[in-house]
Amino acid sequence: MEFRVSDEMLGVIMPIIVYWVYSGMYILFGGLDKYRLHSRKDEQEKNLVPKKTVVKGVLLQQLLQAIVAIILFKVTGDSAGDASGKQSSPIVLARQFFTAMVVLDTWQYFMHRYMHHNKFLYRHVHSQHHRLVVPYAFGALYNHPLEGLILDTIGGALSFLISGMSPRASIFFFSFATIKTVDDHCGLWLPGNPFHIFFRNNSAYHDVHHQLYGTKYNFSQPFFVTWDKILGTYLPFSLQKRPDGGFEVQPVKVCKES
């Protein structure tokens, strides 16, 4: 009896598998202190939540995302299946991927920024993510469940629907988006990292946002810096080598906002 996993189910489970495999690679590499953006001491002292709690929080969010994804595929299954035959062209796929990236970036920028400016939402929802002052790979999706629903799950659903991609294409898009998000939170500046070469929105860029001086800047995630540039929330930075090894991200200009 042949066992076959549907594209829809793969679209649900692959980003979860990719998340833990990719973040696990950073754990296995271990001794990368000379590429860290913060010292291990800073990670231990500045982070306000233990790693066991982070793992539980991420698993809860992934469960909620999986439930919403299954519902979404059920609702759109027939139309997506009918259209999948028209989406095999590389040009069409590239257009869909780019559209999905723009939609996801736009949604997350404005929702993310609003969660910072709304004191109630920041205090009771978004501040959970900022308990990780020193980000690390498997903490990328450590959010309040409501934030996970609004930013990631709804944002992902909109990018899927508006781009018109098939469930099969979504496997690759959301797996890629997951890898990018994990990399942005890895807390490392590795030489030759393609995400640092092709994206200005990277681990150092997002590290700025996790620091006290940068909480009103660099809201863009996960791909481009476009909305930060257009709306004046872009904070340039430089990378300086620390005497004890590793790098330190420093803002290029002094923040005027309190």
Side-chain angles (χ1 to χ4, degrees):
M1 181 175 173
E2 183 180 356
F3 178 75
R4 181 180 178 275
V5 180
S6 67
D7 291 342
E8 289 83 358
M9 187 53 64
L10 284 174
V12 172
I13 63 176
M14 280 306 296
I16 297 174
I17 295 173
V18 165
Y19 183 92
W20 292 108
V21 169
Y22 190 68
S23 61
M25 287 171 54
Y26 281 114
I27 297 174
L28 290 175
F29 288 155
L32 295 171
D33 287 11
K34 63 181 180 180
Y35 303 117
R36 290 175 63 95
L37 297 176
H38 297 271
S39 67
R40 293 184 184 272
K41 181 181 178 181
D42 280 348
E43 182 180 309
Q44 294 172 357
E45 294 181 352
K46 292 183 177 181
N47 285 347
L48 305 176
V49 59
K51 291 182 177 179
K52 184 184 294 185
T53 302
V54 171
V55 171
K56 291 179 181 177
V58 172
L59 290 173
L60 173 60
Q61 178 164 327
Q62 289 177 328
L63 174 63
L64 296 175
Q65 287 180 339
I67 292 171
V68 173
I70 290 171
I71 294 172
L72 180 65
F73 284 137
K74 288 291 184 183
V75 171
T76 63
D78 294 337
S79 58
D82 294 340
S84 61
K86 302 176 183 178
Q87 298 177 353
S88 57
S89 164
I91 295 176
V92 172
L93 286 171
R95 187 191 70 225
Q96 290 172 343
F97 269 52
F98 181 74
T99 301
M101 291 167 76
V102 171
V103 171
L104 189 59
D105 258 40
T106 301
W107 176 263
Q108 292 207 352
Y109 174 85
F110 287 101
M111 291 297 102
H112 184 195
R113 182 173 177 176
Y114 183 67
M115 284 190 175
H116 273 270
H117 286 274
N118 184 297
K119 293 181 179 180
F120 178 85
L121 285 177
Y122 183 80
R123 182 178 304 157
H124 297 285
V125 179
H126 186 56
S127 62
Q128 178 170 322
H129 183 66
H130 279 272
R131 292 175 186 171
L132 295 179
V133 178
V134 179
Y136 47 79
F138 67 85
L141 290 183
Y142 177 65
N143 298 316
H144 188 283
L146 181 60
E147 177 179 349
L149 176 65
I150 294 173
L151 258 71
D152 299 317
T153 308
I154 295 179
L158 287 173
S159 64
F160 172 75
L161 293 171
I162 294 174
S163 68
M165 66 175 60
S166 66
R168 179 167 296 181
S170 77
I171 299 169
F172 298 96
F173 174 74
F174 289 117
S175 294
F176 173 68
T178 297
I179 291 173
K180 179 66 171 62
T181 300
V182 170
D183 205 85
D184 290 347
H185 289 81
C186 70
L188 299 168
W189 189 260
L190 294 173
N193 187 329
F195 291 119
H196 298 166
I197 297 171
F198 294 106
F199 292 94
R200 297 183 68 182
N201 193 330
N202 48 47
S203 58
Y205 184 85
H206 193 64
D207 184 79
V208 169
H209 178 72
H210 273 259
Q211 308 313 307
L212 289 177
Y213 64 79
T215 55
K216 294 184 179 180
Y217 295 89
N218 295 10
F219 297 111
S220 292
Q221 54 185 37
F223 300 111
F224 310 117
V225 301
T226 309
W227 286 113
D228 276 319
K229 288 252 184 175
I230 292 174
L231 297 177
T233 53
Y234 175 80
L235 182 60
F237 61 89
S238 64
L239 278 172
Q240 307 294 331
K241 285 195 172 183
R242 293 197 310 268
D244 57 343
F247 296 93
E248 182 178 357
V249 181
Q250 296 183 347
V252 170
K253 66 179 181 180
V254 177
C255 305
K256 295 182 180 180
E257 298 183 56
S258 59

